[in-house]
Amino acid sequence: MTGVISVLTKIPNLGKELVKLAPNLVFKDITTENDYNQLSKSEIIIADFDLLIPHVQSLKETKWVQGTWAGVDKFIPHFNETNFHSTIVSRFSSKHFGRLMSEYVISNIINHERNFFQVYENKKQKLWTQNGMISDYRSIDQLTIGVLGVGVIGNYVSRVLHSFGATIWGFGRRNELPNSEEYDHYHQYCTYKTLPHLLKQCDYIINVLPSTDETIGLLNGNILADCAGKKTVFINVGRGSIISEKDLILALKNNWLSAVILDVFLQEPLSKQSIHYSSCICSFQSQRYR
């Protein structure tokens, strides 16, 4: 493969950083409509998948698409509509995403455990109070946390939480984890058959799983009833397809879950009519790169 490598992204200065890493290659930032002609000529494209979708039909010369996202599920359906089946599509999954996810997870756990939302509301109302979780909170080392997904990103999140003293349960599709230092922070590891056991033990369930045939609807139905004893908090930084909105609301109404913290949804962006906007036990913040 030769020629210019097109870079289509919202990530600041990515093109400049690529030039530093590979000075012998030629990169072209696609920033205006006048650059789209170059995009269609490129054999190699580095792109945010959402930005590339409108142009996928014109990628006649493309041999390799390298995404900047951790997941490819939103791009592949559009790509499969083309005849470019020989084109390689790869994703970006590394400790970089693990760090970002860890920051998101830890900040939200602390925010929830110490009820910082209520502290903010109290300040607006000029109230001085330390009632409830504001003063009577749990630290991370008191928590048992289940992480669904033990790949590069999930394993990084698990290790960071373990460094704060949390007891970590892992879930994945492998029958067992390798006996190595890379996985020595897991207290216990579960698979599909033993998932209910994990749900019964954990104060927090964190989904880091991608959207696949095996994971779509994994938490649908009544399986979250196993969380009722712990009144678990569910944090989703993986994909919204892990559970239907109907079943997530059911779990909240039945008090199987005490709260949900969502980074992802089945339909994005949320409509103004979404129940998530009005739920007092649901908070969300969409991360920039996914």
Side-chain angles (χ1 to χ4, degrees):
M1 297 184 192
T2 59
V4 177
I5 300 173
S6 293
V7 181
L8 179 63
T9 181
K10 294 178 183 177
I11 301 175
N13 300 316
L14 178 59
K16 293 180 180 178
E17 294 301 319
L18 290 169
V19 170
K20 292 179 184 178
L21 292 171
N24 294 328
L25 299 179
V26 179
F27 297 93
K28 169 64 177 177
D29 286 317
I30 307 300
T31 57
T32 68
E33 291 187 6
N34 293 331
D35 298 325
Y36 292 157
N37 187 46
Q38 173 58 50
L39 189 69
S40 65
K41 295 178 181 178
S42 294
E43 293 186 343
I44 304 175
I45 298 173
I46 299 172
D48 302 351
F49 286 134
D50 61 331
L51 298 182
L52 191 60
I53 286 171
H55 308 284
V56 71
Q57 295 291 339
S58 66
L59 306 181
K60 306 296 184 181
E61 305 298 325
T62 306
K63 302 295 189 298
W64 177 21
V65 174
Q66 171 62 55
T68 61
W69 289 7
V72 298
D73 51 292
K74 295 184 183 298
F75 178 69
I76 290 299
H78 299 272
F79 187 78
N80 285 342
E81 294 175 359
T82 71
N83 294 318
F84 316 138
H85 299 300
S86 61
T87 302
I88 298 170
V89 177
S90 53
R91 65 191 183 98
F92 178 66
S93 179
S94 73
K95 293 181 179 180
H96 170 72
F97 275 115
R99 287 193 295 270
L100 294 177
M101 296 288 190
S102 298
E103 290 176 5
Y104 180 93
V105 167
I106 290 170
S107 63
N108 276 286
I109 289 176
I110 294 173
N111 183 32
H112 179 77
E113 289 298 320
R114 303 195 184 197
N115 207 359
F116 284 162
F117 282 125
Q118 188 59 53
V119 171
Y120 177 71
E121 291 299 322
N122 291 344
K123 178 184 177 183
K124 289 199 299 183
Q125 298 176 38
K126 300 180 180 179
L127 294 177
W128 179 272
T129 177
Q130 295 181 332
N131 293 336
M133 293 168 63
I134 294 174
S135 59
D136 185 18
Y137 58 82
R138 298 176 296 183
S139 58
I140 292 179
D141 63 354
Q142 295 175 284
L143 302 174
T144 298
I145 300 175
V147 178
L148 309 184
V150 293
V152 173
I153 297 173
N155 195 43
Y156 192 99
V157 172
S158 298
R159 184 170 289 281
V160 171
L161 288 167
H162 182 263
S163 73
F164 278 79
T167 300
I168 306 298
W169 287 54
F171 167 87
R173 63 183 178 181
R174 286 174 283 189
N175 291 330
E176 59 183 24
L177 292 177
N179 184 19
S180 69
E181 291 184 0
E182 185 178 358
Y183 301 100
D184 63 4
H185 48 283
Y186 292 101
H187 174 73
Q188 193 158 333
Y189 174 72
C190 297
T191 60
Y192 291 97
K193 290 183 179 180
T194 52
L195 177 58
H197 183 51
L198 178 150
L199 297 175
K200 291 177 181 178
Q201 306 302 318
C202 295
D203 301 299
Y204 281 77
I205 298 295
I206 302 169
N207 177 48
V208 197
L209 290 165
S211 181
T212 68
D213 291 341
E214 293 176 312
T215 64
I216 292 174
L218 180 66
L219 299 182
N220 281 355
N222 297 328
I223 191 171
L224 291 179
D226 289 313
C227 296
K230 284 276 193 173
K231 298 293 189 292
T232 305
V233 178
F234 176 60
I235 300 179
N236 193 0
V237 293
R239 284 292 182 263
S241 59
I242 191 78
I243 184 172
S244 70
E245 183 175 281
K246 172 179 68 71
D247 288 330
L248 185 61
I249 298 302
L250 176 67
L252 288 167
K253 287 183 175 180
N254 288 343
N255 293 317
W256 300 339
L257 299 176
S258 61
V260 297
I261 299 166
L262 306 176
D263 171 53
V264 288
F265 303 88
L266 273 172
Q267 299 295 328
E268 298 179 3
L270 289 177
S271 69
K272 292 183 178 180
Q273 292 73 39
S274 173
I275 193 172
H276 295 303
Y277 284 116
S278 58
S279 174
C280 62
I281 47 180
C282 170
S283 61
F284 57 87
Q285 174 188 350
S286 182
Q287 297 187 81
R288 185 171 182 181
Y289 310 125
R290 295 185 282 131

